[in-house]
Amino acid sequence: MARETRKILCPVNLRHLKLQQDAYEEACEMAVRRGAELIVMTVAPEMERNLNIRDSVGYWSGELRKFVRDFPPGPVEPRLVVRKGAVHRQILKLAAEEAVDIIVMEAANPRIQDYLIGTTASHVAAHAPCSVYLVRMP
């Protein structure tokens, strides 16, 4: 018997927007099919490179809202979450806090062409308290 999916977490890297759509679209469709809550998250850096950004969490919250507005999730109303810190740690922390059933994320960092799976994805897959669905980049 298949386990019930109540919560789906979809972390997105807003610095690589074009590469995040596949995992996000898959998470949206999965949430609709399974009648699950969708949590879309991004992680703000601990130290911003852009000195014009004074409120990092506020800035990335706005960027995450724009992302969801530009790529409507269909009939699902996602909950948006912004965390600050190391990406892999914040994904795992939120997954545990929310008792997430599945994490849907991209499989590789576009800057690391030689890896089959990105470092963040491999860390999350190895340490997640739930199933992880990795979406390959085209």
Side-chain angles (χ1 to χ4, degrees):
M1 183 167 138
R3 291 187 305 188
E4 182 181 7
T5 303
R6 295 177 312 277
K7 289 185 183 182
I8 298 170
L9 174 60
C10 181
V12 293
N13 181 347
L14 296 174
R15 287 181 179 79
H16 301 289
L17 281 179
K18 292 179 183 175
L19 302 170
Q20 300 302 303
Q21 289 174 266
D22 291 338
Y24 173 71
E25 287 174 2
E26 184 66 36
C28 292
E29 290 174 15
M30 192 181 288
V32 170
R33 284 192 314 268
R34 298 180 180 196
E37 175 185 7
L38 176 61
I39 303 168
V40 180
M41 81 172 298
T42 196
V43 180
E46 290 186 68
M47 301 261 306
E48 281 291 346
R49 289 183 223 157
N50 183 343
L51 299 177
N52 293 323
I53 299 174
R54 296 198 193 314
D55 175 12
S56 185
V57 172
Y59 174 81
W60 291 107
S61 292
E63 293 299 304
L64 186 57
R65 282 191 301 275
K66 285 182 202 172
F67 174 78
V68 171
R69 184 185 64 228
D70 291 345
F71 303 101
V76 176
E77 185 64 38
R79 180 160 43 109
L80 307 181
V81 176
V82 176
R83 293 287 179 96
K84 193 171 187 175
V87 176
H88 62 283
R89 287 190 186 109
Q90 293 304 320
I91 293 169
L92 295 171
K93 187 175 179 182
L94 183 61
E97 289 171 3
E98 292 287 339
V100 167
D101 299 298
I102 190 166
I103 299 169
V104 179
M105 64 187 296
E106 293 292 334
N109 181 326
R111 292 176 287 165
I112 306 173
Q113 299 294 329
D114 297 334
Y115 288 96
L116 295 175
I117 184 172
T119 54
T120 298
S122 66
H123 186 87
V124 170
H127 300 285
C130 61
S131 296
V132 178
Y133 184 95
L134 297 175
V135 177
R136 290 259 177 229
M137 295 185 321

